[in-house]
Amino acid sequence: MRPTQIDCAREGKLTLEMQQTMERENIDEDTLLSRVAEGSLVIMTREGCPSIAIGRGASTKVNVNLGTSAVRIDPDAELEKVRIAEKYGADTITDLSMGGDIRAIRASVFENSRLPITTVPIYQTVVECGMKDLTEGDILSYLKAHVDEGVSSVVLHCVEKATLEKLKGVGRVMGMVSKGGSLTSVYMLTNGCENPFIEHFDEVIETLRKKDVVLSLGNTMRSGCIHDYRDGAQLMEIETNVRLAKRANEEGVQVIIEGMGGHIQAAEIPEHVNLYKSRSAFPLFVAGPLPTDIALGYDHIAGAVGASMASGAGADYLCYITPAEHLSLPNPEQVREGLIAFRIAAHIGDSMKYGVSERDLLLAQKRAHFDWGGQIKLALDPDRPGDMCPMTGPCSMCGEYCAIKIMGDYLAGDE
Amino acid sequence: MRPTQIDCAREGKLTLEMQQTMERENIDEDTLLSRVAEGSLVIMTREGCPSIAIGRGASTKVNVNLGTSAVRIDPDAELEKVRIAEKYGADTITDLSMGGDIRAIRASVFENSRLPITTVPIYQTVVECGMKDLTEGDILSYLKAHVDEGVSSVVLHCVEKATLEKLKGVGRVMGMVSKGGSLTSVYMLTNGCENPFIEHFDEVIETLRKKDVVLSLGNTMRSGCIHDYRDGAQLMEIETNVRLAKRANEEGVQVIIEGMGGHIQAAEIPEHVNLYKSRSAFPLFVAGPLPTDIALGYDHIAGAVGASMASGAGADYLCYITPAEHLSLPNPEQVREGLIAFRIAAHIGDSMKYGVSERDLLLAQKRAHFDWGGQIKLALDPDRPGDMCPMTGPCSMCGEYCAIKIMGDYLAGDE
């Protein structure tokens, strides 16, 4: 059996992906080995492509969700989103396709990108087998098919029956808002059974081990509005996910825990990250969070605020939110808006975790000298300034009254 | 002499504007009187228009800067910005015009709005008298003219000579980035004199008292990049501004202190707000702050992150930043983008200061029932969802697989 990154780390063997990580993330060998072994740093790999490190000591990473929905099927638009994710600096892509030829769309996502690809296999299972007709066998066989196709990570919603019962009593405004979680729950309720991923967790682990696929434990119980924050159902899910994560880690499978997605009031974000981090060392993946519900059409901005606070407090991996969130499947331009907003958040979060970056200083030095080309090269989205950007000298906000310009001589000591 | 809001508060007399404030901000009479008297809550008034309260216990307010620059003179565009500021919920407008017929533009800003108007009188003084030729008399006479025209507030940059000297030695990357501050400094350096506003502070106070115009003490020493944060020059300016604010307050003139604008790393934002608040109780006005320098073309998003953190920590009044910041004078659409981003920040800040709002809950309740019209009415920008918004039922991201829909019956206890 091929050893996984965790197996190698436990034997003190440095893999090629670990070497890449050491360079990119500036982590020394011993630290890296111990973090990979304990699972606090996960290396997402994809055959023939660069790997991505997520977790303790690594820069905060950003995931882009894309894919058709059941009612919006435009494979060309999805490919355009893949190109945008690649071009504007996404770290990973999650293909959530539920419409059209799902397998063919996934194949073209693979073909047109070099980023690690995540899927939520229950989506395709439900679409192709029917929400009420699918079997345990279907669920496991789609999982295996995705792994065989070379995904880097899969999201499984391991919600327990008892947690579903708990949810019934907590009186939420928004109920359950996780799509994968609800599809898995419908299977459990239809068949009156426990969660199939938990029931067959050994088989799941064995499947993922074979290709060292990262297990992303889904956040079924996330809150759908800030008033639904942190009830008993959420707390039960944290315990379940931490328990399963430990089992997976023991078996040499890398794990990420999705937590704190959805909507949480700003003041509670750092505390919630601390709650997760106090329960386990596994990388924490957050969608948003959104610290307000009223930013309809601007949720990428509300999400960037929440994600800055969350990553600054220790979250490792951010799932972007686009301006179309809660409204529609995003178009390619909205994917770009969401991605850049979350790269800003990751960068701000990193400044809180690791200190201010050299890149900010370099850009400021170019700005001080009206070097517009130099600023653009260092900007998160070099294509955005475009027409706004002057060719030379001060910008059109100040013109000749530019403070930098009129105070430059004095401060340089020339007058 | 007509008593000011502070005079009345000190005599225990409730003004009409205080009554409006009590209702809008939900503050009881005694608390309001004592806060207005001590200056921790400022009421910006404009004849015949609603007043706006800024400071302790009031919701966080957002200011929109607009106006022509020396090189972009399009009065129609500026009027469109005024309409946008009114329509999309700005609390105040600052007219920074430096090009064209400045007085006529200001008159039309007044004509087309009902919001309190702030100006920076040194701008017009410099443009019309010449940067090197203007006199002390010019400076004071333009200030008086603005007050006579009915501005609600003026920004004066009260930088001291010693602080300018200090700035020379601190080795900043960006030097001085405050336009009003630099114009005032050029006058001081050209004439080898102290700051004219400080030299004639009694006359300034007398001028403002007459019409109860709020004195906004400008932030000449703000940092232009996150590496320039909090040096000796900044600290000296805080002391000067606090000292002058106390003098103004004693004389019955309301004061706001502009501080912490510009660029500050995220981790230091709460600490910096606390530093201000520990020095004085006067309302704190912040521009941004920007916690990163590399978000060129997206500074409204980086600014919204910083402003959320700052207002959450206690800042009272936010100056918006548009996507065109550092690049060009914003166009009307960019004004809208910046304004909404900062209204999101103010709302998030308020949730940290005062707890989660009822409005978030109401919107979530509409969302849970696919009431799109109801959501739009409660959204910060009701015009934005537009085409993105479905007419009925789940959105195009999920369609029939909407978690809320498929779990609704179970959670309602119907199955």
Side-chain angles (χ1 to χ4, degrees), chain A residues 404-415, chain B residues 164-165 167-172 175 189:
Chain A
I404 301 169
K405 189 166 164 272
I406 67 179
M407 290 301 288
D409 286 346
Y410 168 73
L411 292 174
D414 297 343
E415 73 174 62
Chain B
L164 283 184
E165 276 299 319
L167 180 66
K168 233 175 158 164
V170 293
R172 287 189 179 182
L189 295 170

Side-chain angles (χ1 to χ4, degrees), chain B residues 51-273:
Chain B
S51 58
I52 294 283
I54 298 166
R56 194 160 166 216
S59 63
T60 306
K61 302 302 187 292
V62 178
N63 174 68
V64 158
N65 284 341
L66 49 78
T68 58
S69 75
V71 290
R72 285 257 177 111
I73 304 163
D74 179 350
D76 289 343
E78 299 313 319
L79 267 197
E80 182 57 24
K81 294 178 196 174
V82 171
R83 283 184 211 108
I84 284 173
E86 289 275 342
K87 181 171 180 185
Y88 293 106
D91 297 296
T92 61
I93 288 172
T94 300
D95 176 10
L96 297 174
S97 290
M98 288 193 89
D101 185 342
I102 295 173
R103 192 174 192 283
I105 293 165
R106 190 163 58 245
S108 96
V109 171
F110 270 100
E111 229 170 81
N112 289 277
S113 75
R114 290 175 50 75
L115 297 175
I117 308 292
T118 295
T119 57
V120 188
I122 191 78
Y123 283 16
Q124 190 182 2
T125 318
V126 165
V127 172
E128 296 184 358
C129 302
M131 193 159 19
K132 303 258 170 175
D133 300 323
L134 83 178
T135 66
E136 210 168 70
D138 296 329
I139 291 174
L140 293 171
S141 102
Y142 273 91
L143 168 62
K144 284 173 192 165
H146 284 224
V147 168
D148 286 341
E149 283 175 36
V151 298
S152 306
S153 164
V154 289
V155 183
L156 304 184
H157 294 81
C158 296
V159 56
E160 290 181 291
K161 216 173 156 184
T163 310
L164 283 184
E165 276 299 319
K166 182 79 181 178
L167 180 66
K168 233 175 158 164
V170 293
R172 287 189 179 182
V173 176
M174 294 294 294
M176 187 190 291
V177 295
S178 157
K179 185 154 52 172
S182 70
L183 298 175
T184 307
S185 300
V186 166
Y187 171 81
M188 293 162 64
L189 295 170
T190 305
N191 296 281
C193 64
E194 229 338 320
N195 187 301
F197 300 115
I198 303 179
E199 287 288 282
H200 301 274
F201 201 66
D202 289 336
E203 195 177 337
V204 166
I205 291 295
E206 200 193 318
T207 303
L208 302 181
R209 251 200 79 90
K210 274 185 197 154
K211 297 211 171 182
D212 207 357
V213 169
V214 174
L215 170 60
S216 195
L217 288 162
N219 191 195
T220 302
M221 291 298 152
R222 68 171 178 264
S223 47
C225 68
I226 52 179
H227 282 80
D228 281 350
Y229 170 68
R230 206 152 80 193
D231 49 34
Q234 280 217 32
L235 297 174
M236 282 175 79
E237 183 176 47
I238 294 175
E239 297 311 317
T240 306
N241 279 344
V242 168
R243 193 182 74 236
L244 295 172
K246 286 181 180 166
R247 270 179 68 186
N249 173 267
E250 276 163 25
E251 300 297 328
V253 168
Q254 302 189 102
V255 197
I256 286 168
I257 299 185
E258 296 188 6
M260 209 183 67
H263 305 232
I264 306 181
Q265 70 175 102
E268 309 243 17
I269 291 174
E271 189 191 320
H272 193 76
V273 171

Side-chain angles (χ1 to χ4, degrees), chain A residues 69 164 168 179 227 292-294 296 298 326-329 356 360 367 372 380-381 395-397 410, chain B residues 69 164 168 179 227 292-294 296 298 326-329 356 360 367 372 380-381 395-397 410:
Chain A
S69 76
L164 283 184
K168 233 174 156 162
K179 185 154 53 169
H227 283 80
T292 173
D293 299 330
I294 66 170
L296 211 61
Y298 299 84
H326 300 114
L327 292 167
S328 66
L329 201 68
V356 170
D360 288 271
R367 182 170 281 156
W372 296 101
L380 275 173
D381 177 353
C395 87
S396 62
M397 196 178 253
Y410 168 73
Chain B
S69 75
L164 283 184
K168 233 175 158 164
K179 185 154 52 172
H227 282 80
T292 172
D293 299 330
I294 65 170
L296 211 61
Y298 299 84
H326 299 115
L327 291 167
S328 66
L329 201 69
V356 170
D360 288 272
R367 182 171 281 156
W372 295 101
L380 275 173
D381 177 355
C395 85
S396 62
M397 197 179 252
Y410 168 73

Side-chain angles (χ1 to χ4, degrees), chain A residues 297-336:
Chain A
Y298 299 84
D299 275 329
H300 63 308
I301 296 179
V305 173
S308 297
M309 292 174 172
S311 56
D316 306 284
Y317 186 26
L318 308 175
C319 188
Y320 88 149
I321 288 174
T322 79
E325 182 74 17
H326 300 114
L327 292 167
S328 66
L329 201 68
N331 63 31
E333 184 54 27
Q334 289 162 340
V335 167
R336 175 179 167 188

Side-chain angles (χ1 to χ4, degrees), chain A residues 52-226:
Chain A
I52 294 283
I54 297 167
R56 193 160 165 219
S59 64
T60 305
K61 301 302 187 294
V62 178
N63 175 68
V64 158
N65 284 342
L66 49 80
T68 59
S69 76
V71 290
R72 285 259 176 110
I73 304 163
D74 180 351
D76 288 343
E78 299 314 319
L79 268 197
E80 182 57 23
K81 294 178 196 174
V82 171
R83 283 184 212 108
I84 283 173
E86 289 274 342
K87 181 172 179 185
Y88 292 106
D91 296 296
T92 62
I93 288 173
T94 300
D95 176 11
L96 297 174
S97 291
M98 288 192 89
D101 185 342
I102 296 173
R103 191 174 194 284
I105 292 164
R106 190 163 59 246
S108 95
V109 172
F110 270 99
E111 230 169 82
N112 289 278
S113 75
R114 290 175 52 74
L115 297 175
I117 307 294
T118 295
T119 58
V120 189
I122 193 77
Y123 284 16
Q124 190 183 2
T125 317
V126 164
V127 172
E128 296 184 357
C129 303
M131 194 159 20
K132 302 258 169 175
D133 300 324
L134 83 177
T135 66
E136 209 168 70
D138 295 330
I139 291 173
L140 293 170
S141 102
Y142 273 91
L143 168 62
K144 284 173 193 167
H146 283 223
V147 168
D148 286 341
E149 283 175 35
V151 299
S152 306
S153 166
V154 289
V155 183
L156 305 184
H157 294 81
C158 295
V159 56
E160 289 182 291
K161 216 173 154 183
T163 310
L164 283 184
E165 276 301 319
K166 182 78 181 179
L167 180 67
K168 233 174 156 162
V170 293
R172 287 190 180 180
V173 176
M174 294 293 294
M176 187 189 291
V177 295
S178 156
K179 185 154 53 169
S182 70
L183 298 175
T184 307
S185 300
V186 166
Y187 172 82
M188 293 161 64
L189 295 169
T190 305
N191 296 280
C193 65
E194 228 340 318
N195 187 300
F197 299 116
I198 302 180
E199 288 288 282
H200 300 275
F201 201 66
D202 289 337
E203 197 178 335
V204 166
I205 292 294
E206 200 194 320
T207 302
L208 302 181
R209 252 200 78 91
K210 273 184 198 155
K211 297 211 170 182
D212 207 357
V213 169
V214 174
L215 170 58
S216 195
L217 289 162
N219 191 194
T220 302
M221 292 298 152
R222 69 170 178 262
S223 47
C225 67
I226 54 179

Side-chain angles (χ1 to χ4, degrees), chain A residues 6-23:
Chain A
I6 291 180
D7 295 336
C8 294
R10 286 183 182 154
E11 288 169 22
K13 281 186 203 155
L14 211 61
T15 63
L16 181 65
E17 292 79 12
M18 291 182 206
Q19 280 169 1
Q20 290 170 348
T21 301
M22 284 171 59
E23 280 164 37

